[in-house]
Amino acid sequence: MERKVSIDQTISSPGTVSINVQGAFIVDEHLSRPATPSDDGAQHDTDIRLPNHRAIVSHVALDIGGSLAKLVYFSHEPNSEDRGGRLNFLKFETDRIDQCLQFVKRLQDEYRTRNGSRARNMSIMATGGGAYKFYEEIKTILGVEVLREDEMDCLIMGLDFFITEIPREVFTYGDDDPMHFQSPRANIYPYLLVNIGSGVSMIKVSGQRKFERIGGTSLGGGTLWGLLSLLTGARTFDEMLRMAEVGDNGAVDMLVGDIYGADYSKIGLKSTTIASSFGKVFKMKRQGESQAEDHGGLSRDRREDDADDTERSPPTFKKEDISRSLLYAVSNNIGQIAYLQSEKHNLEHIYFGGSFIRGHRQTIQTLAYAINFWSKGEKKAYFLRHEGYLGSVGAFLKRQPKNWGRRNSFEEDPVMRPTTLHRGE
């Protein structure tokens, strides 16, 4: 009887659900779902297990950006109501938003099957530009309430949740320790959020719900995606990242070593430091063209003798090398701008989020190196395992009551905060 009352209250008033994060942990990648897109267009990312949460959750959250639509929803463990559940993380290409909405519709049908007609109040929390662009389409296909939430507000709420509540979520990068995890903590302000999607927004966060956008750049993930699609013929962002992993940017970029023949130790530059992105391209093409012109002026007999030799045509550049070079160019630019904003606003902690990163080691390494180099080790770059889901998690949390977390990280009124921590027991 008690459980029936709980279910009724949850369905009729979903905002009263308190998510129990006690004992939360990220499911090991080798036990989680595959990261490749499935037949329904969904790409599953690592889940967060909530072993102590047993109440019904009657809403899902969508963050619909220019390139990707990110979905977060709660599900109970299969074949058991006593083993808790998990937060599920999926993404779809925004150009195929219909696949995303059909997936949500299946979730809706499964929810109704599980909970009966009382599930009619299931709602959709939506943020991002697509929450407005596709608003009517979402309502028509799903036939449910759609609550649109401010994008920046959701980003900050989602990041605060990950920092304060989820173990082994936030990490720093170092050559000797590529993934050094940070323990959840309550004292997190102030900090800088660098959210890298199609473009880049930089947000100064000084407290709960206290933030301002202080800068950004139009050179973000969309820039990399657009230029590489022109230069390499790659059709997906993941394909571009795979090419970058095996590329050699030194075949395209002009390095310090190309100019000095060694390190420039006096100012702290290694020989492998990029002096000019794509700096070798023009010079090598000119050299190749000159050689081709010289070759064309040889006598006929000499040309015939050289017929079996390698053609002296202008050099071509491997698409893998181009991918790596452009990835470094975009990432280095973002890292330096982030450092300058943190210096201007006296912010020591810099969190990088957004779907541009995707856990890609070279991207993380470049951003971390830029912050460490320019700040001389005085500032820290932080990364997240669910970096692309800040907005959707924030939208999901918008449906929660005050003080539900272990560290009260979402209390809207600090004056009303209780003196004891609510840990979801």
Side-chain angles (χ1 to χ4, degrees), residues 251-272:
V252 177
D253 296 337
M254 183 177 293
L255 309 180
V256 168
D258 296 321
I259 300 172
Y260 289 93
D263 296 345
Y264 191 173
S265 303
K266 187 175 181 179
I267 58 175
L269 297 178
K270 298 179 181 179
S271 63
T272 55

Side-chain angles (χ1 to χ4, degrees), residues 49-323:
R49 184 80 160 82
L50 301 173
N52 292 299
H53 183 83
R54 295 172 176 81
I56 302 298
V57 178
S58 58
H59 64 281
V60 301
L62 278 170
D63 176 11
I64 309 174
S67 302
L68 295 172
K70 286 79 65 177
L71 171 67
V72 172
Y73 69 94
F74 176 84
S75 65
H76 285 280
E77 291 301 288
N79 305 318
S80 175
E81 295 183 354
D82 299 319
R83 295 172 51 202
R86 63 180 63 202
L87 287 179
N88 300 266
F89 298 85
L90 297 85
K91 54 178 174 273
F92 303 78
E93 291 185 16
T94 301
D95 289 343
R96 300 177 179 178
I97 191 65
D98 57 316
Q99 291 182 324
C100 176
L101 297 182
Q102 288 303 319
F103 186 93
V104 175
K105 186 171 179 59
R106 288 199 297 274
L107 292 179
Q108 186 181 45
D109 293 341
E110 291 172 4
Y111 178 81
R112 285 172 175 157
T113 299
R114 181 183 179 94
N115 299 296
S117 61
R118 294 166 298 178
R120 63 183 180 276
N121 289 328
M122 178 181 177
S123 60
I124 306 295
M125 310 297 294
T127 189
Y132 297 87
K133 181 177 180 179
F134 301 107
Y135 177 71
E136 293 299 333
E137 186 174 350
I138 297 172
K139 286 184 62 178
T140 300
I141 293 177
L142 301 179
V144 296
E145 179 186 10
V146 180
L147 302 177
R148 292 176 289 189
E149 299 292 344
D150 178 75
E151 183 175 3
M152 293 297 174
D153 200 13
C154 288
L155 284 173
I156 303 307
M157 179 172 279
L159 179 54
D160 282 359
F161 168 75
F162 283 128
I163 297 174
T164 61
E165 301 290 347
I166 304 301
R168 300 178 67 81
E169 171 68 43
V170 179
F171 63 94
T172 57
Y173 178 90
D175 290 336
D176 297 329
D177 191 0
M179 190 174 275
H180 182 74
F181 290 109
Q182 307 295 300
S183 299
R185 56 194 179 90
N187 185 21
I188 63 176
Y189 307 113
Y191 65 76
L192 175 67
L193 167 60
V194 181
N195 193 59
I196 314 172
S198 299
V200 184
S201 286
M202 300 185 184
I203 308 165
K204 175 184 177 181
V205 183
S206 53
Q208 294 173 9
R209 310 289 178 85
K210 296 178 181 178
F211 60 86
E212 61 174 320
R213 187 181 187 275
I214 57 177
T217 172
S218 62
L219 304 181
T223 307
L224 182 69
W225 195 338
L227 288 176
L228 286 184
S229 66
L230 291 173
L231 295 172
T232 69
R235 304 187 65 180
T236 69
F237 198 24
D238 289 326
E239 182 183 354
M240 296 170 190
L241 293 179
R242 285 194 295 271
M243 288 193 299
E245 287 179 359
V246 297
D248 176 15
N249 70 296
V252 177
D253 296 337
M254 183 177 293
L255 309 180
V256 168
D258 296 321
I259 300 172
Y260 289 93
D263 296 345
Y264 191 173
S265 303
K266 187 175 181 179
I267 58 175
L269 297 178
K270 298 179 181 179
S271 63
T272 55
T273 300
I274 299 172
S276 174
S277 296
F278 285 80
K280 286 181 180 174
V281 174
F282 179 74
K283 181 179 179 180
M284 292 177 68
K285 285 181 70 68
R286 284 291 302 272
Q287 288 176 342
E289 290 166 356
S290 297
Q291 290 173 352
E293 291 171 359
D294 292 343
H295 182 68
L298 297 175
S299 66
R300 178 174 179 176
D301 292 341
R302 178 67 180 276
R303 292 200 301 270
E304 290 175 352
D305 292 339
D306 290 347
D308 293 333
D309 294 340
T310 303
E311 293 186 6
R312 299 193 180 190
S313 58
T316 58
F317 298 92
K318 294 181 179 179
K319 58 186 179 181
E320 293 84 1
D321 300 340
I322 293 172
S323 298

